[in-house]
Amino acid sequence: QSALTQPASVSGSPGQSITISCTGTSSDVGVYNYVSWYQQHPGKAPKLMIYEVSNRPSGVSNRFSGSKSGNTASLTISGLQAEDEADYYCSSYTSSSTLVFGGGTKLTVL
Amino acid sequence: EVQLVESGGGLVQPGRSLRLSCTASGFTFGDYAMSWLRQAPGKGLEWVGFIRSKAYGGTTEYAASVKGRFTISRDDSKSIAYLQMNSLKTEDTAVYYCSRYSSGWSSPNWGQGTLVTVSS
């Protein structure tokens, strides 16, 4: 199972919006609505930000939103804030009953 | 409050074995699938495997990179999930996390991680 494809880095200024893409295949992202997004700050455990493509866990800011089209899922962060600077990972359930992660995207808030 | 605490990490020589534990509290452990994930130094997250709850057979799934070498088990009476790692390789060096699965195979709860270093 190959890793999902994410851009290595994205950046934006405070207040702007950014979108991180996560491209899989018809065996994972394209066939299941089981895409999750995680935020990870250096030295910390990952934090769930989005589950089932577009659902936010309790306590996660509504500045974070998720969507999916075909084999590509996306995470959008609006109104960028300094504390959003972190690594972001997508994951998906697969037709092999396994999970697969993306390589991660480093978000820099300029 | 859900808590997951990993233990058992350390320095081990290539080819040797190590068993990690994930002790859970704050929820009915037996009702949930549990997962192990890892993160090599400076690298991204990698899914290692998971174990279903007994209600779903308690069966396991593994990543290709560890299949045949790693085994996940659970003791619901003690609320502990285990990761038995055999035939360790230097590329298994990573921080190992356990997580509890929830809706849509998402992991809302993670432990703090335990470092495994495979080196001679």
Side-chain angles (χ1 to χ4, degrees), chain A residues 73-96:
Chain A
S74 298
L75 173 71
T76 298
I77 309 173
S78 59
L80 267 180
Q81 299 180 1
E83 60 260 36
D84 298 333
E85 185 162 295
D87 294 325
Y88 291 84
Y89 296 91
C90 61
S91 76
S92 175
Y93 187 74
T94 82
S95 59
S96 302

Side-chain angles (χ1 to χ4, degrees), chain B residues 37-55:
Chain B
L37 307 97
R38 67 184 180 182
Q39 188 168 34
K43 302 297 184 181
L45 294 170
E46 180 185 13
W47 176 78
V48 172
F50 70 78
I51 185 166
R52 297 176 178 86
S53 66
K54 290 290 196 297

Side-chain angles (χ1 to χ4, degrees), chain A residues 5-14 16-22 37-39 64 73-78 80-82 84-89 103-110:
Chain A
T5 300
Q6 298 180 231
S9 63
V10 298
S11 62
S13 299
Q16 288 185 332
S17 294
I18 63 95
T19 296
I20 299 172
S21 62
C22 170
W37 288 90
Y38 299 89
Q39 175 192 67
F64 291 82
S74 298
L75 173 71
T76 298
I77 309 173
S78 59
L80 267 180
Q81 299 180 1
D84 298 333
E85 185 162 295
D87 294 325
Y88 291 84
Y89 296 91
T105 298
K106 181 177 181 58
L107 169 62
T108 300
V109 180
L110 302 171

Side-chain angles (χ1 to χ4, degrees), chain B residues 61-73:
Chain B
E61 306 289 348
Y62 299 96
S65 58
V66 306
K67 199 169 187 177
R69 298 189 300 124
F70 289 13
T71 301
I72 299 173
S73 61

Side-chain angles (χ1 to χ4, degrees), chain B residues 4 10-11 26 34 42 44 47 49 57 78-79 83 91 98 109 111-112 117-120:
Chain B
L4 300 171
L11 175 64
M34 299 296 295
W47 176 78
K78 296 181 179 179
S79 297
L83 178 64
E91 52 263 42
C98 69
N109 308 104
Q112 83 289 349
T117 303
V118 184
S119 174
S120 54

